[in-house]
Structure formats: structure tokens, C-alpha cells
Amino acid sequence: MRIRPAVAAVSLATGLSALAASVAPTAASAADRAAPSDTVFTHVVVDGGKDIVLGLTTKKTVTITWTATDPDGVAASWAYLWHGPNTDDADGILPLYPPPGTCTVSAADPTTSTCRASFAVDAARDLDHNALAGTWKVLAGAQDRTDDWTEIDAAGTARVERLGKVTVNASPEPVKKGRTVTVTGRLTRANWESGGYTGYQGQSVKLQFRKKGSSTYTTLKTVTSGGAGALRTTTEAKTDGYFRFVFAGTATTGPATAAGDFVDVG
């Protein structure tokens, strides 16, 4: 699914009809798009380099920044995220209607422009299946001042992840010093298909403890989430403090940290 904003000498059209009406070639070869005189895209960064973590109804603004350099100067440039085996068979595009980038020509080098494009992402609207979690690619394109255009399908990458959640409960409360504390919880993540949060099984989760009066958590052990994301382990009660579970995240799911659960040790 190739989407390329149509460009004129001084502006970009953002409507889908304008995209379809573009006079630029629709089947340019890789060689054509990689000629030495073509625009070069560098410093492509999505959302400041942070992963894009989305729950079921998350709404956020995502920004792509990049540098476009062309020996003939850059008249216009654009960029968007896509997911799938290739752009013609993409199963996800963010945003569906790519906005034109706002570019500033370097005062020191008129062949170089720094560009940015911001767009809204709505998880409920834009993500309909869980396979969209993972690595997305950045397509970057530009039209130079002689009306030649360049598009690079994978000018950069970004990670779109499902929001993770983890709970914790330590008991009994209070407990005698030296006795056993049982710590339970559950690791879940957003399921964009079911519209709920479902258990995340087989994941490493750290059990941490913070002594009362301290601001630092220490890892006691690592446990593996079981069926439906269940967490359960035991530890010795030594002093008053807070227990929590911490999940570092994966390539498809964002990190999660439970609020500390206080146990009074008598």
C-alpha cells in the first residue's frame, strides 16, 4: 500500500484524492530511488526515540523528525510509519493520511533541510489486531526544487507496543519477623482485538523490596508469569517495607511497575 503525498513547488496536498492524482511515477525502481542525485534522509527519529506504548483507548501525538539533503535543495518532504512485509502490502499505516512535513532550510547549507511532522494516534481507531505490535518502519519522501522526488521505504524504525500492567499483593499483613510473606499479582497487556487486558504468560518479572524510610528498591528474585499472567512467590519477612513487581517489557509490550504494597513486620 503505497501512500505518497502529492507535492507542488511550494506546498503538499494531504487529501487522499491528491495522493492518487500525483503526477510522479507510481512504480519507480529501487535504482531510480537510490540515484546519487536523490534526496538523502538522515537523523530520522520517531517520538524522541521513545517506544510508542498504546493501551485500548490511548490517544497521543507522535512526532517524526528528520534531515533531508538534496543537491538541488528540498521543496517539500514527508514521512509516515508503516507496518508489514512491504509498503504495497502494509497492514498498518500511521497516520492514514500523512501530513506534509514542516521543513527549515539550513542557513549554512541550502541543500539541507530539517523537517518534522506530527500526527494524532488513537489506539481504538488505528489498531485493530495485536500483530501490529512490534517494529514499524519510517517511509521518508521528498521533492526537490527541480520536481524530482525520492522515497525511501525504510529510512528509520520505531516500536509500537501494547500497554502492560502488573499488580501486587503481599500477605499476611502484619506478619511476624522471620515468617513467610506470599507475594501474588498478575501481568496483563492490552489486547487490541478483544478490547480488554489479557494475561501475559511466560514472562520474567522481578520482585523488588523497599525498606520503610528508604527510596531505593532492591531486587529479591525473578519469577515467571504463569497461566493468565499469574505471579506468585514467597520471601522471608525481615523488616517493614514495600513489595512490588517490575516487568521490563518486550519488543511488543511496554514495561510495567506495580505500586508498592506495604507489609508491617512485627
Side-chain angles (χ1 to χ4, degrees):
M1 182 185 299
R2 168 77 67 184
I3 292 183
R4 183 179 65 79
V7 294
V10 295
S11 66
L12 288 172
T14 58
L16 187 59
S17 60
L19 302 182
S22 173
V23 297
T26 59
S29 67
D32 290 337
R33 299 204 305 270
S37 61
D38 284 353
T39 307
V40 174
F41 303 96
T42 57
H43 304 97
V44 180
V45 178
V46 179
D47 225 29
K50 302 186 298 289
D51 295 338
I52 303 169
V53 182
L54 303 172
L56 302 176
T57 59
T58 305
K59 295 181 180 180
K60 68 172 299 179
T61 298
V62 174
T63 299
I64 305 176
T65 58
W66 68 98
T67 299
T69 303
D70 191 287
D72 296 311
V74 176
S77 190
W78 57 93
Y80 63 85
L81 298 172
W82 64 274
H83 181 274
N86 53 65
T87 53
D88 292 326
D89 299 309
D91 59 1
I93 290 176
L94 292 175
L96 183 58
Y97 303 107
T102 300
C103 298
T104 301
V105 179
S106 168
D109 180 4
T111 69
T112 299
S113 295
T114 55
C115 306
R116 66 187 291 119
S118 296
F119 51 89
V121 174
D122 183 341
R125 176 195 65 198
D126 300 326
L127 303 169
D128 59 2
H129 58 287
N130 295 326
L132 289 174
T135 300
W136 288 55
K137 295 182 175 65
V138 180
L139 181 145
Q143 182 170 330
D144 69 19
R145 297 193 181 281
T146 67
D147 291 338
D148 287 335
W149 67 276
T150 304
E151 278 191 342
I152 302 299
D153 292 347
T157 61
R159 245 180 8 198
V160 176
E161 298 175 341
R162 298 158 65 178
L163 179 66
K165 293 183 177 182
V166 64
T167 60
V168 66
N169 181 59
S171 63
E173 304 173 48
V175 64
K176 294 288 187 180
K177 184 175 182 179
R179 296 290 181 87
T180 297
V181 175
T182 299
V183 188
T184 60
R186 187 171 180 233
L187 176 65
T188 60
R189 57 178 175 167
N191 188 319
W192 297 328
E193 297 170 8
S194 70
Y197 282 84
T198 52
Y200 198 9
Q201 184 175 352
Q203 302 304 307
S204 295
V205 180
K206 293 180 179 179
L207 173 65
Q208 296 186 336
F209 179 77
R210 175 170 66 86
K211 183 179 178 180
K212 181 180 178 181
S214 170
S215 60
T216 303
Y217 274 93
T218 300
T219 298
L220 300 180
K221 62 174 70 175
T222 299
V223 299
T224 301
S225 58
L231 299 166
R232 183 182 180 86
T233 189
T234 60
T235 188
E236 181 183 351
K238 295 182 179 180
T239 186
D240 294 354
Y242 300 82
F243 291 92
R244 72 179 186 182
F245 283 121
V246 177
F247 172 60
T250 65
T252 61
T253 304
T257 301
D261 187 27
F262 181 76
V263 173
D264 181 12
V265 178

